[in-house]
Amino acid sequence: LPVYLALLGSPKLLNLCNTAPLFYRNNYLTLHDVAFVENPSWFSKNFVSWYNFLIPKILARSKVVFTVSEFSKKEITKHFNIAPAKIKVTYNGVPKFTSVTTKTVAMVNAPYALMVGTLSNRKNQKQVIDCFLAQKNSKLKLVLAGTVNTDVFGGHTINLESFKNAENISWFKSPTDEELHNLYTHAAFCIYVPLYEGFGMPVLEALAYKKQVLVSDIPVFRELFEGLVLFGDLKNKKQLCRNIEMLETTSGLTSEKSLDARILERNFSYEKSASLIGQSLQT
């Protein structure tokens, strides 16, 4: 790629997902988070070694660094010697599949809480799984939707055997956009309680479907979703389980304005982020 770009006169190269050519100096890089530095134990050793080698070098050589939250910007400046002025915050937007209006038959024939995300220690599905395994009389199911990626997370993934025989827990591996649309549409509510996050797309997706969302009380979610979600204390598993029980008995989101308007007010729009990126590429 660098050779090809050199033949084209070394144009600006926009990289949207964490990596970029090492031997190219006209990079515009997007780094979503620095979880691999914050807690290497969440990832495989090979992944951490590669990112520790690559990321500092391409950060230093990039013309502009884009990231997805003010929290992530602070984390990048904390862990790397990058001037804050070089980092531009461009929020993620609502995916197009959330705007589909086609009526669907539920893939899960029971009331359920939906938890979307790669199954890993960092995404912290274990605490929620434990809550559902401890349930005795509830009719509510837990639906997990996400892959298991051992190349990135190594052995730091959720123990699938722990819920293999649980009647109230289902797992959809590698769901398509159409399947996610179905799962979000028919969910009673959603749960997303990672230990660390740069943005948290499943939260925004759930809000786009006007679902109540239980999230971990971490700084980035306070920045992005304060007033739109229910925060749970991950240090208190009993309280987390009680929050799930509470959501089972409530329904719908309440707000003074429509949720769609509040999402747009917070600049969760790919059109707005694309405009900001375009402005940076013109300078």
Side-chain angles (χ1 to χ4, degrees):
L1 181 57
V3 173
Y4 173 72
L5 293 170
L7 293 173
L8 296 179
S10 298
K12 297 171 181 177
L13 177 64
L14 177 60
N15 308 278
L16 295 174
C17 196
N18 298 334
T19 61
L22 181 59
F23 300 108
Y24 192 68
R25 292 191 173 274
N26 209 5
N27 281 321
Y28 287 70
L29 173 70
T30 306
L31 183 62
H32 292 255
D33 62 62
V34 293
F36 69 98
V37 179
E38 189 68 18
N39 194 330
S41 68
W42 290 329
F43 303 92
S44 70
K45 290 182 178 179
N46 286 342
F47 179 84
V48 172
S49 296
W50 172 236
Y51 262 43
N52 279 335
F53 168 78
L54 179 67
I55 298 300
K57 294 176 176 59
I58 57 177
L59 279 174
R61 295 174 182 177
S62 293
K63 302 292 186 181
V64 175
V65 177
F66 301 105
T67 195
V68 290
S69 62
E70 293 291 342
F71 171 77
S72 234
K73 178 176 179 176
K74 292 176 182 177
E75 290 289 276
I76 293 170
T77 58
K78 180 177 78 174
H79 289 290
F80 303 99
N81 187 26
I82 304 296
K86 184 178 176 177
I87 306 172
K88 308 295 183 184
V89 175
T90 54
Y91 287 152
N92 286 312
V94 179
K96 286 188 176 181
F97 73 80
T98 65
S99 62
V100 174
T101 57
T102 305
K103 293 185 178 180
T104 59
V105 177
M107 295 165 61
V108 180
N109 189 25
Y112 62 91
L114 176 63
M115 198 170 186
V116 174
T118 303
L119 273 62
S120 69
N121 291 349
R122 174 190 164 192
K123 300 297 183 180
N124 195 36
Q125 288 94 346
K126 184 180 185 305
Q127 283 201 46
V128 179
I129 290 171
D130 288 345
C131 288
F132 277 81
L133 290 176
Q135 287 182 353
K136 301 300 180 183
N137 301 314
S138 173
K139 295 181 179 179
L140 184 73
K141 294 186 67 172
L142 172 64
V143 172
L144 303 170
T147 61
V148 173
N149 190 335
T150 55
D151 289 338
V152 173
F153 298 104
H156 311 290
T157 57
I158 299 301
N159 179 10
L160 302 179
E161 294 296 321
S162 67
F163 62 87
K164 183 178 180 180
N165 298 317
E167 294 183 358
N168 65 338
I169 301 177
S170 299
W171 175 39
F172 289 83
K173 181 180 180 182
S174 303
T176 64
D177 283 354
E178 290 76 16
E179 289 171 332
L180 281 175
H181 170 68
N182 186 293
L183 292 171
Y184 275 120
T185 298
H186 298 285
F189 60 92
C190 297
I191 304 171
Y192 192 65
V193 288
L195 302 173
Y196 182 94
E197 194 60 80
F199 186 90
M201 280 300 297
V203 182
L204 186 56
E205 291 168 359
L207 290 174
Y209 284 95
K210 296 178 174 57
K211 301 296 179 178
Q212 289 185 310
V213 196
L214 173 62
V215 305
S216 42
D217 195 351
I218 55 177
V220 69
F221 290 163
R222 288 288 178 180
E223 172 196 340
L224 299 174
F225 305 117
E226 184 88 59
L228 302 176
V229 297
L230 173 66
F231 291 98
D233 182 3
L234 298 186
K235 296 178 182 178
N236 188 335
K237 184 182 288 187
K238 288 184 178 179
Q239 182 60 50
L240 185 68
C241 296
R242 283 195 291 267
N243 285 338
I244 294 172
E245 292 172 1
M246 181 191 71
L247 285 173
E248 185 179 359
T249 61
T250 61
S251 62
L253 285 162
T254 58
S255 64
E256 295 179 0
K257 302 179 183 178
S258 76
L259 187 63
D260 292 338
R262 298 176 78 184
I263 287 174
L264 289 175
E265 281 178 359
R266 300 190 186 195
N267 292 322
F268 298 144
S269 160
Y270 282 123
E271 287 78 10
K272 291 181 180 180
S273 292
S275 177
L276 290 170
I277 290 172
Q279 292 171 24
S280 296
L281 290 171
Q282 293 302 318
T283 59

